[in-house]
């Protein structure tokens, strides 16, 4: 987790995104790169319902939003005492392994989510806010673009900034390819965690290894993980995962995203949809 990308958009969860990033970067000595995330000009076409007139997003307003995003990012990093990265490029080949975090702001990035999906392929993880339904909440399209297009994991910041990250880790295990991929991406966290729990819920599994199987496999990687397989109950599996994670003191949930299709989850619900709507701890997800 040596490089973290932070797409900065103006939403209410931005302080939590910054703090979640700081916690991860402090743990791994990461380079944090911030970019301004704005809707593409051609995508932002409001309609005057009276006159039927359309107008494009003003370029000057777009430039001002990018400057505000950069200002807020830099102000947080400076206030947190994180030094600015002084070299061009992402890496410093001669860095000592125990060097602390540092940051950089990338100027003049293209608008639109397409850039994010492509650029995020260069980073260990992308940190975004948990999507919401209000105008001031992080956008679902940002999360899904980074999730599906980057090929890298997403570190999902909760609406309120977490006090810690990665000390008590719960793996929401369902036996799937998606969750196996999330676990592989999460190994830097798992190796440094104080406690790890592999949790499965009856009714939430697909054909695949059990929670005990995964715990035993993690032991071969040097990760001491306990495991629990819960019977089906009154709660849906997504709710059970969150309730049990909170009882465990979880400050990082590991989960595969969309084992079921997005369309099916939109219609019938699913664990991913429930976590995206209700998780109050950081979540590391992969597809």
């Amino acid at each position: 987790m040596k490089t973290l990308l932070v797409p900065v958009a103006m939403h209410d969860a931005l302080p939590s995104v910054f703090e979640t990033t700081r916690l991860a970067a402090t743990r791994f000595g990461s380079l944090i790169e911030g970019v301004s995330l704005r809707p593409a000009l051609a995508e932002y076409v409001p309609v005057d319902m009276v006159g039927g007139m359309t107008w494009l997003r003003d370029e000057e307003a777009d430039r001002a939003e990018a400057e505000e995003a950069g200002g807020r990012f830099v102000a947080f990093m400076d206030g947190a005492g994180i030094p600015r990265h002084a070299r061009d490029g992402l890496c410093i080949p001669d860095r000592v392994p125990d060097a602390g975090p540092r940051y950089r702001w990338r100027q003049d990035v293209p608008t639109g989510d397409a850039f994010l999906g492509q650029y995020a392929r260069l980073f260990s993880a992308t940190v975004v806010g948990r999507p919401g339904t209000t105008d001031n909440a992080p956008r679902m399209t940002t999360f899904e673009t980074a999730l599906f297009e980057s090929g890298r994991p997403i570190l999902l910041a909760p609406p309120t900034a977490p006090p810690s990250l990665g000390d008590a880790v719960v793996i929401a295990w369902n036996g799937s390819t998606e969750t196996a991929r999330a676990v592989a991406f999460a190994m830097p966290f798992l190796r440094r965690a104080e406690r790890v729990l592999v949790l499965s819920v009856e009714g939430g599994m697909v054909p695949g290894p059990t929670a005990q199987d995964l715990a035993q496999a993690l032991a071969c990687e040097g990760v001491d993980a306990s495991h629990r397989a819960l019977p089906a109950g009154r709660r849906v599996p997504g709710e059970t995962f969150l309730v049990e994670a909170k009882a465990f003191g979880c400050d990082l949930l590991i989960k595969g995203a969309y084992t079921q299709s997005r369309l099916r989850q939109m219609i019938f619900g699913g664990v991913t949809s429930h976590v995206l709507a209700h998780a109050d701890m950081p979540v590391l997800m992969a597809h």
Side-chain angles (χ1 to χ4, degrees):
M1 293 289 171
K2 290 296 186 182
T3 54
L4 301 173
L5 178 63
V6 184
V8 181
M10 297 298 101
H11 54 67
D12 291 343
L14 196 56
S16 179
V17 170
F18 289 159
E19 179 61 13
T20 301
T21 304
R22 185 194 68 80
L23 290 169
T26 300
R27 181 168 288 252
F28 298 111
S30 313
L31 169 63
I32 305 166
E33 180 163 320
V35 296
S36 175
L37 183 69
R38 298 100 63 209
L41 299 183
E43 295 173 357
Y44 191 84
V45 188
V47 178
D48 180 341
M49 299 304 293
V50 177
M53 299 293 293
T54 64
W55 53 279
L56 292 178
R57 182 179 175 86
D58 183 80
E59 291 186 6
E60 186 173 336
D62 179 75
R63 191 180 305 110
E65 184 175 328
E67 291 177 357
E68 182 183 0
R72 292 186 64 175
F73 176 82
V74 170
F76 177 89
M77 296 300 159
D78 287 345
I82 298 176
R84 188 184 289 263
H85 179 59
R87 303 192 186 185
D88 293 331
L90 286 177
C91 63
I92 301 178
D94 59 351
R95 272 187 73 230
V96 293
D98 59 349
R102 65 256 187 249
Y103 80 89
R104 60 178 289 174
W105 176 256
R106 177 170 173 175
Q107 297 279 6
D108 301 324
V109 299
T111 59
D113 290 319
F115 166 78
L116 172 63
Q118 297 166 15
Y119 193 53
R121 297 168 191 167
L122 300 176
F123 293 81
S124 303
T126 299
V127 188
V128 301
R130 198 191 81 191
T133 57
T134 65
D135 291 340
N136 294 326
R139 295 185 299 137
M140 179 66 79
T141 55
T142 298
F143 163 74
E144 291 189 338
T145 297
L147 177 74
F148 289 109
E149 300 299 329
S150 71
R152 299 298 185 105
I154 305 303
L155 182 55
L156 201 65
T160 302
S164 61
L165 175 70
D167 293 331
V169 179
V170 171
I171 300 172
W173 180 247
N174 65 356
S176 71
T177 303
E178 291 79 12
T179 307
R181 189 170 173 81
V183 170
F185 280 129
M187 287 307 299
F189 281 106
L190 293 171
R191 290 194 175 101
R192 292 173 180 244
E194 297 174 2
R195 297 182 295 138
V196 178
L197 171 64
V198 183
L199 187 65
S200 65
V201 180
E202 184 181 356
M205 293 287 291
V206 301
T210 65
Q212 182 176 0
D213 292 335
L214 178 60
Q216 291 172 347
L218 288 174
C220 297
E221 300 277 358
V223 177
D224 183 15
S226 59
H227 61 86
R228 292 177 62 195
L230 299 178
R234 296 181 179 179
R235 300 187 181 99
V236 296
E239 184 181 4
T240 300
F241 280 129
L242 293 184
V243 169
E244 294 296 327
K246 187 172 184 178
F248 185 72
C250 171
D251 60 3
L252 181 63
L253 181 68
I254 309 299
K255 192 195 174 309
Y258 296 120
T259 298
Q260 299 176 354
S261 70
R262 282 182 288 174
L263 178 60
R264 179 180 176 85
Q265 294 222 15
M266 286 172 60
I267 298 172
F268 299 107
V271 177
T272 301
S273 296
H274 189 90
V275 169
L276 287 176
H278 300 289
D280 58 2
M281 73 281 290
V283 185
L284 190 143
M285 307 184 91
H287 184 66

